[in-house]
Amino acid sequence: MPKDLSPDLVVADADPVWTSRGTALTDGLYELLAPLALHVEHIGSTAVPGMAAKPVFDIQISVRDLQEAQDAFAGPLADHGFDLAPYRQDHVPAGSDDDPAHWTKRLWIRRGHPESDVNLHVRAAGSPNERLALLFRDWLRAHPEAVPAYARFKQVLAGAVPDLATYADVKDPVVDLVVAVAEPWARATGWQPSATMTVRPASHRA
């Protein structure tokens, strides 16, 4: 999972308003960035009901070409308070021999904005990191019994480490464990990323 650039490490209790705020963010970003933005999804812990989380919204935008999207999105996103971050590589799950080049992305950060703090992950459509973000979210949504344990882990970890970089480094292997369980679930249920993505008005599509 990506490293947050915020200087504060606070994992807050779940807030029911996160769902509606996430929807407003994805709708607004789709309106702003379509048709290059093929899909815009609320991901991460704030997208899972009942999950404790840093009060920062993770949003994923799927695009055909990362460099094309970077060039086209730079101006509109800057106008809405987003800064392009240097991070261009997602964590590759432990045990995977996949080429790290398949796990690249672009990341924009917004902090201290009147609306919401956001990590905006732009990933290639059909890439493994696009898929993993959706699978992780959907497995937790489908298994609410796992949410309290994962939430508690994050709260304890946040109180035990000195900074967000360490927090992310420790959390990544635990995410890998969740994914190891989620993959058999995906096969058994026929889960596919396309089935979970929000359907948008056809007038905005390429």
Side-chain angles (χ1 to χ4, degrees), residues 4-74:
D4 191 337
L5 298 184
S6 168
D8 298 318
L9 182 51
V10 177
V11 175
D13 290 336
D15 188 338
V17 78
W18 287 344
T19 298
S20 59
R21 289 174 67 187
T23 298
L25 280 167
T26 57
D27 288 349
L29 286 165
Y30 187 78
E31 290 289 331
L32 179 68
L33 301 173
L36 289 185
L38 304 176
H39 303 283
V40 183
E41 296 292 326
H42 183 196
I43 59 169
S45 291
T46 58
V48 178
M51 178 68 76
K54 298 190 300 323
V56 177
F57 289 83
D58 286 286
I59 305 295
Q60 175 169 275
I61 296 182
S62 302
V63 299
R64 291 190 178 91
D65 183 270
L66 289 175
Q67 189 59 51
E68 178 187 32
Q70 178 180 330
D71 295 341
F73 293 174

Side-chain angles (χ1 to χ4, degrees), residues 2-11 54 87 154-172:
K3 295 175 176 59
D4 191 337
L5 298 184
S6 168
D8 298 318
L9 182 51
V10 177
V11 175
K54 298 190 300 323
Y87 301 109
K154 293 196 301 174
Q155 289 171 322
V156 171
L157 177 61
V161 298
D163 53 55
L164 283 161
T166 305
Y167 175 86
D169 287 341
V170 174
K171 186 164 70 72
D172 279 342

Side-chain angles (χ1 to χ4, degrees), residues 37-191:
L38 304 176
H39 303 283
V40 183
E41 296 292 326
H42 183 196
I43 59 169
S45 291
T46 58
V48 178
M51 178 68 76
K54 298 190 300 323
V56 177
F57 289 83
D58 286 286
I59 305 295
Q60 175 169 275
I61 296 182
S62 302
V63 299
R64 291 190 178 91
D65 183 270
L66 289 175
Q67 189 59 51
E68 178 187 32
Q70 178 180 330
D71 295 341
F73 293 174
L77 288 177
D79 290 342
H80 285 75
F82 287 89
D83 295 313
L84 182 63
Y87 301 109
R88 294 193 172 190
Q89 185 68 45
D90 276 322
H91 166 74
V92 179
S96 172
D97 59 359
D98 198 10
D99 184 346
H102 297 156
W103 293 74
T104 57
K105 69 174 177 182
R106 299 296 187 269
L107 176 66
W108 274 267
I109 299 292
R110 186 170 75 182
R111 294 293 183 272
H113 194 269
E115 294 179 19
S116 301
D117 289 349
V118 179
N119 295 329
L120 183 60
H121 311 264
V122 178
R123 295 177 171 125
S127 63
N129 47 347
E130 177 209 39
R131 176 184 180 277
L132 183 142
L134 297 170
L135 174 60
F136 182 79
R137 178 197 68 183
D138 289 358
W139 186 86
L140 283 168
R141 284 178 172 178
H143 296 83
E145 70 277 10
V147 169
Y150 185 63
R152 180 59 179 158
F153 158 72
K154 293 196 301 174
Q155 289 171 322
V156 171
L157 177 61
V161 298
D163 53 55
L164 283 161
T166 305
Y167 175 86
D169 287 341
V170 174
K171 186 164 70 72
D172 279 342
V174 177
V175 172
D176 293 348
L177 287 173
V178 174
V179 172
V181 176
E183 289 290 3
W185 170 80
R187 291 191 294 271
T189 61
W191 177 90

